[in-house]
């Protein structure tokens, strides 16, 4: 009969998951603050265009205030890539707090100098680009394959929570008051993440085997991590045998496949119009419905999104990334198509649609539900899983550039077409693009569920797989 000490050792060696959840939660405070920055335009644009703001702001100026943050997003990806492999994941993540603090201070000061608002948005975008480039990568590198999907889903969940919080607070208080209240969160992040561990991948990339072993013991909650450490050493050594230059992204076939697949999924995500809808949600609802207050409608939509992202964490490691993405993209296409028909009837015919005044809100809720179940979660997970360690920082940097350009382009496209032609045109355009996205995911996207990061690299090298569609780039 086993002694109590033997039983306790066996139980301990089974490992614990809470250290990984702790490290992810601490990093996600920065993601929450990123959500505040992303969600800031929705409640703030109506205030900027009203008498509440001390300066007269035109629709064109408001548009550029909205999208100029993506310029900072582009720079943030480059800064993140430059720091990631030099000072490490942990220190680079801690550096995100600085532009977040500066951004909110400048927003508050814009009541005295209007131009500071543009500067604040660019600097806030810088922190957003760094967050999107680094934190999903960090989470993927510290996570067990069996819970990597859940941990990565926490990132998407926290972004939505930040956007919702910004929408609620920003709808009821002045822009400068909201900005000053948001300053607390970068400070909380610094305290929470200060003692969190470095990524074991980065430590092994720098031949710090003893420290990597210590970090793995903490993250896995057990004292015996020899097998996993040896496997990681071999994986990192093989992946680091590549030179790790930007040209390797395109010169090495597996890297090129991974890059094009991630670029494709990010483009599909943005061509649903999600960024434009998020930034213009209150203005969109005010134009589409005459009965429901826009801030109430946007709060309902974001609350539904928050709930659906929570639910998606139950499915992403069970059903897989590809099935969820197919369901999500197909659902978005149907929702956008139906909304296109509604706005065509409202704007270009004599049909009276006032009897279904709440229809745009209902359809937007349905759109958010299906988007959140796949495109809102699985794209980030897939992006953090698929790159080789040698080019990961550089590839994610380039992906983030395309991502920022996609957000900027779709947002500006929505603003121009909605102002010039009405809402039917942007909705129809997004619907057609989303349909093409369904075809891309079905024919080209591989499954990564339950695979280690090294197994995903091996999968990319295979030309055919019985369980997945072949990757043909």
């Amino acid at each position: 009969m086993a002694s109590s000490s033997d039983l306790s050792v066996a139980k301990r060696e089974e490992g614990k998951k809470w250290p990984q959840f702790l490290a992810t939660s601490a990093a996600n405070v920065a993601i929450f603050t990123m959500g505040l920055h992303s969600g800031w335009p929705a409640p703030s644009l109506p205030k900027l265009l009203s008498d509440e703001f001390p300066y007269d702001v035109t629709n064109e100026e408001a548009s550029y205030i909205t999208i100029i943050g993506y310029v900072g997003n582009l720079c943030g990806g480059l800064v993140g890539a430059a720091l990631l492999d030099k000072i490490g994941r942990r220190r680079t993540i801690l550096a995100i707090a600085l532009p977040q603090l500066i951004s909110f201070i400048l927003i508050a000061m814009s009541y005295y100098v209007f131009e500071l608002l543009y500067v604040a948005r660019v600097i806030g975008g810088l922190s957003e680009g760094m967050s999107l480039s680094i934190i999903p990568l960090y989470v993927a590198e510290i996570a067990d394959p069996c819970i990597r999907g859940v941990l990565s889903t926490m990132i998407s969940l926290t972004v939505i929570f930040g956007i919702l919080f910004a929408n609620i607070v920003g709808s009821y208080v002045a822009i400068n008051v909201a900005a000053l209240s948001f300053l607390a969160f970068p400070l909380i992040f610094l305290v929470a993440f200060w003692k969190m561990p470095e990524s074991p991948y980065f430590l092994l990339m720098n031949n710090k085997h003893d420290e990597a072993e210590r970090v793995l013991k903490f993250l896995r909650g057990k004292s015996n991590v020899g097998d996993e450490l040896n496997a990681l050493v071999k994986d990192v050594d093989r992946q680091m045998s590549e030179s790790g230059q930007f040209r390797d992204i395109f010169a090495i076939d597996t890297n090129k496949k991974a890059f094009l697949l991630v670029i494709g999924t990010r483009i599909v995500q943005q061509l649903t119009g999600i960024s434009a809808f998020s930034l213009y949600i209150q203005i969109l609802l005010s134009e589409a419905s005459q009965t429901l207050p826009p801030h109430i409608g946007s709060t309902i939509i974001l609350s539904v999104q928050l709930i659906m992202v929570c639910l998606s964490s139950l499915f992403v490691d069970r059903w897989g990334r590809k099935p969820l993405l197919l369901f999500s993209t197909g659902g978005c296409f149907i929702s956008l198509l139906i909304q296109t028909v509604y706005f065509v009837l409202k704007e270009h015919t004599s049909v009276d649609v006032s009897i279904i005044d709440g229809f745009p809100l209902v359809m937007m809720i349905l759109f958010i539900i299906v988007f959140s179940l796949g495109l809102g979660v699985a794209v980030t997970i897939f992006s953090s899983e698929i790159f080789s360690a040698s080019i990961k920082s550089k590839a994610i940097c380039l992906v983030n550039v395309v991502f920022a350009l996609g957000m900027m382009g779709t947002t500006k496209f929505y603003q121009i077409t909605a102002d010039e032609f009405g809402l039917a045109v942007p909705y129809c355009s997004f619907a057609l693009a989303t349909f093409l996205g369904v075809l891309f995911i079905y024919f080209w996207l591989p499954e990564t569920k339950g695979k280690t990061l090294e197994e995903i690299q091996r999968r990319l090298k295979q030309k055919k797989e019985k369980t997945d569609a072949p990757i043909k780039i």
Side-chain angles (χ1 to χ4, degrees), residues 5-39:
S5 61
D6 291 335
L7 291 174
S8 64
V9 170
K11 184 177 180 180
R12 184 176 68 248
E13 291 306 303
E14 290 176 2
K16 302 179 181 67
K17 300 293 189 293
W18 68 262
Q20 298 170 61
F21 280 93
L22 177 65
T24 301
S25 299
N28 275 347
V29 182
I31 291 290
F32 176 84
T33 311
M34 188 202 86
L36 297 177
H37 176 266
S38 300

Side-chain angles (χ1 to χ4, degrees), residues 43-70:
S44 300
L45 284 180
K47 295 179 185 295
L48 289 174
L49 296 171
S50 70
D51 295 335
E52 184 175 334
F53 194 68
Y55 298 94
D56 291 328
V57 180
T58 66
N59 283 332
E60 189 70 11
E61 287 173 330
S63 167
Y64 283 109
I65 290 170
T66 300
I67 67 171
I68 200 171
Y70 298 136

Side-chain angles (χ1 to χ4, degrees), residues 163-197:
I163 294 173
L164 175 62
F165 189 83
N167 186 80
I168 294 173
V169 174
S171 296
Y172 291 99
V173 302
I175 291 174
N176 58 341
V177 174
L180 291 174
S181 66
F182 294 159
L183 284 172
F185 295 102
L187 299 176
I188 294 172
F189 160 68
L190 286 174
V191 174
F193 194 73
W194 193 262
K195 291 293 185 179
M196 292 299 108

Side-chain angles (χ1 to χ4, degrees), residues 109-318:
M109 293 176 63
S110 68
Y111 269 56
Y112 307 100
V113 181
F114 171 69
E115 289 73 18
L116 290 178
L117 200 52
Y118 292 101
V119 181
R121 291 291 294 162
V122 171
I123 295 176
L126 178 73
S127 68
E128 185 172 350
M130 292 177 68
S131 299
L132 289 172
S133 298
I134 303 160
I135 295 178
L137 181 151
Y138 173 79
V139 171
E141 290 184 347
I142 68 171
D144 269 331
C146 63
I147 62 167
R148 191 170 61 230
V150 174
L151 293 178
S152 297
T153 301
M154 289 173 61
I155 297 175
S156 301
L157 178 65
T158 307
V159 173
I160 304 306
F161 188 47
I163 294 173
L164 175 62
F165 189 83
N167 186 80
I168 294 173
V169 174
S171 296
Y172 291 99
V173 302
I175 291 174
N176 58 341
V177 174
L180 291 174
S181 66
F182 294 159
L183 284 172
F185 295 102
L187 299 176
I188 294 172
F189 160 68
L190 286 174
V191 174
F193 194 73
W194 193 262
K195 291 293 185 179
M196 292 299 108
E198 180 56 87
S199 158
Y201 266 78
F202 175 76
L203 295 172
L204 292 175
M205 287 165 61
N206 289 272
N207 296 314
K208 297 181 179 180
H209 289 220
D210 292 340
E211 192 172 348
E213 182 177 9
R214 179 180 60 79
V215 167
L216 270 179
K217 287 179 179 179
F218 167 74
L219 291 171
R220 302 300 182 253
K222 58 183 180 180
S223 59
N224 185 7
V225 294
D227 291 342
E228 182 178 4
L229 180 64
N230 291 334
L232 282 180
V233 170
K234 292 178 181 178
D235 296 347
V236 171
D237 286 345
R238 187 201 65 77
Q239 294 174 32
M240 293 303 294
S241 63
E242 303 168 1
S243 61
Q245 302 298 316
F246 273 105
R247 64 175 178 270
D248 289 341
I249 298 174
F250 306 100
I252 299 174
D253 190 48
T254 54
N255 293 341
K256 182 174 68 175
K257 288 178 180 179
F259 180 73
L260 293 178
L261 287 168
V262 173
I263 289 292
T265 53
R266 278 298 186 190
I267 289 175
V268 170
Q269 182 193 55
Q270 288 306 304
L271 288 180
T272 63
I274 185 64
S275 291
F277 299 149
S278 297
L279 293 175
Y280 283 94
I281 185 64
Q282 290 202 16
I283 292 177
L284 187 157
L285 290 175
S286 67
E287 293 176 353
S289 174
Q290 303 301 316
T291 57
L292 185 71
H295 66 280
I296 299 296
S298 61
T299 299
I300 293 172
I301 289 172
L302 289 168
S303 298
V304 170
Q305 189 172 6
L306 190 67
I307 294 169
M308 296 315 299
V309 171
C310 285
L311 292 177
S312 70
S313 65
L314 303 176
F315 309 131
V316 71
D317 279 326
R318 295 183 182 181

